[in-house]
Amino acid sequence: MKASVAKLLVFAFAAALLFAGGKSALADPIIVKFSHVVSPDAPKGKAALLFKQLAEKYTNGKVTVEFALRKDQENGNKGGPRGRIGRSFMKASVAKLLVFAFAAALLFAGGKSAVADPIIVKFSHVVSPDAPKGKAALLFKQLAEKYTNGKVTVEVYPNSSLYKDKEELEALQLGSVQLLAPSISKFGPLGVKEFDVFDLPFLMTDDSHARQMMASPMIGELNKKLEDKGVEPLAYWDNGAHVYTANVPLIVPDDFRGLKMRIQGSKVLDAVARQLGAIPQIIAFGELYQSLQTGVVDGEDNVPSNIWTQKFYDVQKYLTVSYHGRLTYSLITNKKFWDGLPADVRPGLDRAVKESTQFFNETAAKDNADALVQIKATGRVQMHVLTETEKQAWVTKLMAVHKEMQGRFGKDFIERVYKESGFVPPQS
Ligand code: LMR
């Protein structure tokens, strides 16, 4: 015991010397700020991301690679990571390190380590920071760090900058990322196909139906299935109803005939596109703008706030306010990670989840209404709100999908969804 205390003091002293010489011995990760001016999807962007993953993997976390968000600031910084971070840090840390080493030695003698590194929570998502989910993720960060007194640090990665749609679910199950808020239409790869049922056309176009459904006992049962896959659903975030965009007017169902339409991964959305005579194509959200711009697809459906913040109105000429489907997110974490959190950290995180969920549901409703006005004001798209008669033609056309899905989910299951959501199928 005595020997190891002495060893530790020597080590600390050596580390301080090393640090004074510009290197750090004790294991705060070396922050490597990687700045570039291209989009994450460009070759350099992708290579930079790969570099990040490999560097963090091959240095066993001793290095953290961060991407600069704003082009102007970082490039002007001649000092690089050491320039801006290292300089102010250097002096203060030498003294801190000695005190730390001494305290650690004492505690080591007592068999415990004193200064716990914060728990890092990586929150990855695919939308922009100013979309409702982007804002709620940043609020969650603030609240989580505040309510845990800094015992948790949340790193938010927007715009698919860390993982794209499909990758993020795999990364969560592997524990490489701790928080996501994907659309439940993308849960198919998790092996819980029942979540696709919420894409049945016109099932939850009414806000109260949607909230009723997402608070129902049925969701509790589906949550259990997610937990069995190692995924813990913490909350549901309602991002409102979908509208369609394309480069041709979409007024009657036949207007979709032959169009290549982008869909999220759900089998029900696939059936909806086929029922309209369109060709469904699954494309990651992060690649959608480019796919619309280059004509890989002719159109897509989304909530107005995504169309606004991703500037899809720049590459689409028409928008139909159809409210035919809904975008519901599930705030999910890795079950093992969450269950393993220290008891003094969990209440703060639970509170942050609750408050950012409330914030999200309020913000999304307002942002989606504002976005329709903002998109219209650009004069870039022709907007059409379906009349009641036009909507009935869509409902009639798309009820066939409800029928078709009885084969996939079972008639009883679908009738239960109707009951719990309050949806009344039109009399045929
Ligand atoms: C989409 O893929 O269209 C959306 O789910 C993206 C998002 O997360 O809002």
Side-chain angles (χ1 to χ4, degrees), residues 125-127 131 133 165 168 181-186 239 242 262-264 283-286 288 300-303 306 312 327-329:
H125 66 79
V126 298
V127 300
K133 175 160 56 179
D165 280 338
E168 62 177 14
S183 154
I184 60 175
S185 306
K186 298 173 182 171
N239 202 359
H242 275 165
R262 181 266 179 171
I263 60 164
Q264 301 175 75
I283 291 183
F285 187 71
L288 184 47
E300 56 92 44
D301 64 340
N302 227 302
V303 292
N306 273 345
F312 293 158
L327 180 54
T328 305
Y329 301 138

Side-chain angles (χ1 to χ4, degrees), residues 28-346:
D28 276 349
I30 296 166
I31 307 291
V32 172
K33 277 208 165 253
F34 195 144
S35 168
H36 63 73
V37 294
V38 300
S39 131
D41 295 321
K44 188 193 311 186
K46 287 182 183 159
L49 269 173
L50 180 64
F51 171 76
K52 172 180 168 67
Q53 282 166 10
L54 296 174
E56 290 175 356
K57 187 171 154 206
Y58 295 146
T59 61
N60 299 322
K62 286 196 183 79
V63 166
T64 295
V65 178
E66 290 180 359
F67 292 108
L69 283 179
R70 290 180 48 198
K71 301 184 195 99
D72 52 344
Q73 271 180 326
E74 296 299 339
N75 291 345
N77 180 346
K78 294 287 167 285
R82 281 175 62 73
R84 207 187 45 239
I85 301 171
R87 267 194 301 282
S88 56
F89 196 55
M90 283 284 257
K91 291 199 200 80
S93 319
V94 172
K96 244 193 242 159
L97 194 66
L98 280 174
V99 172
F100 169 75
F102 190 69
L106 286 177
L107 276 172
F108 192 74
K112 262 209 237 107
S113 152
V115 182
D117 287 339
I119 296 166
I120 305 290
V121 170
K122 290 186 178 167
F123 191 158
S124 167
H125 66 79
V126 298
V127 300
S128 76
D130 53 350
K133 175 160 56 179
K135 294 178 190 171
L138 290 171
L139 178 71
F140 175 82
K141 171 181 169 63
Q142 282 162 22
L143 296 176
E145 293 175 356
K146 180 174 149 204
Y147 295 151
T148 62
N149 300 315
K151 288 195 181 106
V152 167
T153 296
V154 180
E155 297 171 355
V156 178
Y157 296 89
N159 269 330
S160 310
S161 57
L162 188 59
Y163 297 109
K164 292 201 183 104
D165 280 338
K166 203 156 164 280
E167 296 163 0
E168 62 177 14
L169 288 172
E170 286 159 15
L172 186 88
Q173 287 181 300
L174 291 171
S176 320
V177 69
Q178 287 70 43
L179 265 185
L180 304 174
S183 154
I184 60 175
S185 306
K186 298 173 182 171
F187 275 5
L190 285 176
V192 189
K193 68 176 181 152
E194 289 86 344
F195 278 95
D196 287 2
V197 79
F198 302 115
D199 290 320
L200 284 174
F202 299 99
L203 178 75
M204 300 195 294
T205 46
D206 174 301
D207 293 2
S208 64
H209 282 174
R211 302 283 158 84
Q212 181 183 323
M213 182 73 242
M214 300 328 283
S216 73
M218 191 175 205
I219 290 295
E221 291 157 29
L222 294 186
N223 286 348
K224 189 76 200 54
K225 290 185 184 237
L226 285 177
E227 287 166 17
D228 296 344
K229 307 280 177 190
V231 172
E232 179 73 41
L234 301 171
Y236 286 88
W237 291 357
D238 175 24
N239 202 359
H242 275 165
V243 300
Y244 271 112
T245 66
N247 285 325
V248 292
L250 300 173
I251 313 295
V252 296
D254 266 4
D255 292 337
F256 286 81
R257 196 155 294 288
L259 294 183
K260 291 169 289 180
M261 293 302 283
R262 181 266 179 171
I263 60 164
Q264 301 175 75
S266 140
K267 292 273 184 285
V268 175
L269 295 176
D270 182 277
V272 168
R274 284 184 289 105
Q275 176 60 19
L276 291 166
I279 303 143
Q281 247 174 286
I282 300 174
I283 291 183
F285 187 71
E287 290 160 6
L288 184 47
Y289 183 93
Q290 221 169 352
S291 305
L292 292 167
Q293 188 181 40
T294 56
V296 170
V297 285
D298 303 308
E300 56 92 44
D301 64 340
N302 227 302
V303 292
S305 58
N306 273 345
I307 296 167
W308 173 247
T309 50
Q310 295 288 324
K311 297 188 170 45
F312 293 158
Y313 57 83
D314 267 348
V315 285
Q316 297 274 266
K317 297 193 184 73
Y318 297 88
L319 186 153
T320 300
V321 182
S322 47
Y323 294 150
H324 58 282
R326 201 160 194 99
L327 180 54
T328 305
Y329 301 138
S330 180
L331 181 67
I332 53 176
T333 184
N334 174 294
K335 185 164 174 36
K336 213 155 134 239
F337 167 78
W338 199 252
D339 294 348
L341 284 167
D344 63 346
V345 157
R346 265 295 290 281

